[in-house]
Amino acid sequence: MRFANIMHYLVAIEEVPTREHAIREFETLIDTFGFKYYCIFHEPKPIENPAQLIVAANWPASWITRYVEKKYIVIDPTIRFLLRANRSFSWEQAVEAYKSNPQYRRMQKMMQDGKAHGLGSGYIFPVFGRNGLMGATTLGGPGEIELTTVEIMLLETVTRSTYIKLLEFMGGTFADKVSEGMEIVLTHREIQALSNMADGLTSPEIAAVLDVASTTVDWYGASLQEKLGARNRHHAVALALRKGLIP
């Protein structure tokens, strides 16, 4: 069920006419995973007003007040871990990475404090470009939420697509950030699927060639469209040929 929801979302997010529509679609999707709260933000950096880094959020107002009052930004393990991570991770993983840190007990206290404000557990999904970390999305909910490896992979694509789409709605400056920061990296399987698409094969035919399910081929297609910024499969093939990604 979640797979179908995600496939629908990845198509819909490319067609939404406004930022409000994009956020509404995003909130509907993450709710199916049990996430009530989110914050989409640019790469953390020391600036005078950290609020300028936020792209979109519905974080609990009471927690924001508490977070600022306690100066948790100084020891926040999720932000610290994000700056050294090369993949998505849970909040719990971030805290445990600092067991030997002198601030470990305060980090634990921060997480316990977060639970009292409706943030029982969560995950962070980084967005990387050719120059490194561009931004990230943190998702949280009041209950214990455990994602499978596949679900994490799917949400990585979702959060990346959402971040890029919201940047597009923010105007020229941020559009430049997208074009400069992103690079196209295709997996071996995606290239195989793309080559077969270029030969005119259907999803069932490609599935037979690659010895995978048709739904997996559909997933490759959606991922290719997202990475290439294509409107459909035919457009993805045309762009890939133009960029020299397939012969």
Side-chain angles (χ1 to χ4, degrees), residues 10-31:
L10 292 175
V11 173
I13 195 66
E14 294 301 322
E15 305 295 332
V16 291
T18 67
R19 167 188 164 87
E20 290 69 29
H21 280 83
I23 290 175
R24 195 179 309 130
E25 290 279 355
F26 181 68
E27 290 178 345
T28 299
L29 177 65
I30 65 174
D31 182 65

Side-chain angles (χ1 to χ4, degrees), residues 77 81 87-98 122-123 152:
F81 198 69
R87 57 184 175 80
S88 302
F89 58 90
S90 69
W91 295 350
E92 183 180 0
Q93 287 174 307
V95 177
E96 291 307 297
Y98 294 98
Y123 287 77
I152 290 174

Side-chain angles (χ1 to χ4, degrees), residues 63-113:
W63 173 240
I64 294 175
T65 301
R66 182 72 169 177
Y67 191 87
V68 173
E69 285 178 350
K70 290 292 184 178
K71 297 182 172 61
Y72 281 143
I73 186 64
V74 178
I75 54 94
D76 190 336
T78 64
I79 297 300
R80 287 192 178 193
F81 198 69
L82 171 63
L83 295 175
R84 66 182 243 197
N86 58 11
R87 57 184 175 80
S88 302
F89 58 90
S90 69
W91 295 350
E92 183 180 0
Q93 287 174 307
V95 177
E96 291 307 297
Y98 294 98
K99 270 189 173 180
S100 59
N101 189 287
Q103 298 282 358
Y104 178 63
R105 293 190 66 178
R106 191 176 174 209
M107 291 177 182
Q108 287 183 306
K109 176 64 173 64
M110 180 195 125
M111 302 308 290
Q112 292 168 359
D113 211 352

